[in-house]
């Protein structure tokens, strides 16, 4: 499986990137199998709902040298009818849901704040972890997303400041801290530190609510 080879082998990319406006990064990079895998999926997804990619793949897309076996995505909340249309489109294009094959059950998972995992039929990895944006911070990630243009394809990702704060102050694993450092190093001239600090504050408030709950 060429996608898995990309996911688990360490590959170095010589890439160039720049902001062409405040909400768009132009990326000069040869598409690898993981990028193609993501683009194929989001071309289906965006026909049915706005989306934003968060977490590990963002750093990988921007040149970070590491692997992943899932791509995390937030989408707008969909009613059962609209979700059914999305699922049928994915199924017709060769994807399956690892959680269930029952529409009502899948939709209930999403409404409960759980993620659905989609992969190419007869495979389990790599997969897309899709969640409804139900919490305030998740909804805001959809609203302030930015776009990466790569060989005439557009991939929507969370804002860099939000990504850095989430990695540094919420997830905090070694891998996540390295992801944040990679983005900070690449875009140090373009980052708004005040936004990172604001997201840090919001994340701490969110964690405090969870602990109290």
């Amino acid at each position: 499986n060429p996608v898995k080879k990309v996911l688990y082998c360490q590959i170095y990319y010589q890439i160039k990137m720049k902001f062409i406006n405040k909400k768009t990064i132009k990326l000069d990079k040869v598409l690898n199998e993981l990028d193609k895998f993501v683009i194929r999926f989001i071309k289906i997804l965006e026909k049915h709902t706005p989306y934003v990619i968060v977490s590990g793949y963002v750093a990988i897309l921007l040149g970070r040298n590491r692997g992943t076996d899932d791509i995390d995505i937030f989408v707008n909340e969909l009613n059962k009818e609209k979700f059914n249309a999305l699922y049928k489109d994915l199924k017709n294009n060769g994807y399956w849901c690892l959680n269930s094959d029952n529409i009502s059950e899948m939709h209930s998972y999403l409404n409960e704040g759980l993620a659905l995992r989609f992969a190419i039929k007869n495979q389990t990895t790599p997969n897309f972890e899709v969640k409804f944006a139900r919490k305030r911070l998740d909804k805001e990630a959809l609203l302030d997303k930015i776009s990466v243009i790569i060989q005439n394809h557009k991939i929507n990702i969370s804002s860099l400041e939000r990504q850095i704060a989430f990695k540094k102050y919420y997830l905090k694993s070694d891998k996540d801290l390295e992801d944040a450092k990679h983005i900070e190093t690449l875009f140090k001239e373009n980052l708004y530190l005040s936004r990172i600090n604001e997201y840090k504050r919001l994340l701490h408030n969110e964690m405090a609510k969870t602990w109290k709950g």
Side-chain angles (χ1 to χ4, degrees):
N1 185 324
V3 176
K4 288 184 179 179
K5 288 180 182 178
V6 170
L7 292 172
Y8 295 109
C9 293
Q10 290 190 333
I11 298 174
Y12 290 88
Y13 299 100
Q14 296 296 323
I15 61 176
K16 296 178 181 178
M17 61 191 81
K18 65 177 181 178
F19 272 93
I20 57 176
N21 58 51
K22 291 182 179 181
K23 302 284 283 185
T24 310
I25 298 171
K26 183 174 177 58
L27 190 60
D28 182 9
K29 168 185 169 182
V30 176
L31 293 174
N32 60 47
E33 293 300 323
L34 180 57
D35 297 326
K36 294 174 185 176
F37 179 73
V38 170
I39 289 167
R40 179 171 177 252
F41 186 85
I42 61 175
K43 283 188 180 298
I44 301 168
L45 188 64
E46 65 189 0
K47 292 189 292 182
H48 301 272
T49 176
Y51 76 90
V52 61
I53 295 176
V54 299
S55 204
Y57 176 69
V58 174
I60 295 169
L61 175 65
L62 298 175
R64 168 96 152 94
N65 174 39
R66 77 167 179 87
T68 188
D69 58 10
D70 56 36
I71 295 92
D72 301 288
I73 302 178
F74 285 123
V75 299
N76 272 353
E77 293 186 71
L78 302 174
N79 62 32
K80 190 174 179 180
E81 182 181 357
K82 290 181 178 179
F83 173 73
N84 189 30
L86 168 59
Y87 175 65
K88 284 184 176 179
D89 204 355
L90 289 171
K91 189 175 180 180
N92 289 340
N93 281 276
Y95 295 93
W96 72 293
C97 178
L98 281 65
N99 309 68
S100 174
D101 59 2
N102 181 282
I103 290 291
S104 295
E105 194 170 36
M106 285 187 280
H107 194 247
S108 293
Y109 285 152
L110 291 169
N111 283 328
E112 290 168 10
L114 303 175
L116 292 182
R117 291 181 178 268
F118 294 95
I120 293 173
K121 189 175 180 180
N122 298 323
Q123 297 181 22
T124 56
T125 58
N127 62 68
F128 295 92
E129 187 171 320
V130 179
K131 294 182 72 173
F132 281 168
R134 301 178 72 243
K135 297 179 180 178
R136 174 189 169 185
L137 293 178
D138 302 341
K139 291 177 180 179
E140 289 176 354
L142 271 169
L143 291 175
D144 69 4
K145 64 182 179 289
I146 63 175
S147 297
V148 175
I149 305 299
I150 175 171
Q151 293 195 12
N152 297 319
H153 301 288
K154 184 177 78 169
I155 301 176
N156 295 331
I157 63 172
S158 62
S159 72
L160 301 182
E161 292 86 357
R162 187 180 295 275
Q163 183 76 8
I164 290 167
F166 188 69
K167 292 282 187 176
K168 288 181 72 172
Y169 306 115
Y170 185 77
L171 297 177
K172 296 189 275 191
S173 73
D174 289 344
K175 176 179 65 178
D176 294 304
L177 293 174
E178 285 297 320
D179 285 349
K181 182 180 178 182
H182 174 77
I183 295 170
E184 286 177 312
T185 301
L186 278 178
F187 295 99
K188 58 186 176 182
E189 303 299 327
N190 303 95
L191 296 172
Y192 293 89
L193 295 181
S194 59
R195 291 182 188 173
I196 296 174
N197 289 329
E198 175 62 11
Y199 296 143
K200 176 183 177 181
R201 184 186 68 79
L202 292 172
L203 284 166
H204 283 168
N205 289 345
E206 193 70 25
M207 287 187 284
K209 290 178 186 177
T210 301
W211 293 331
K212 289 179 181 178

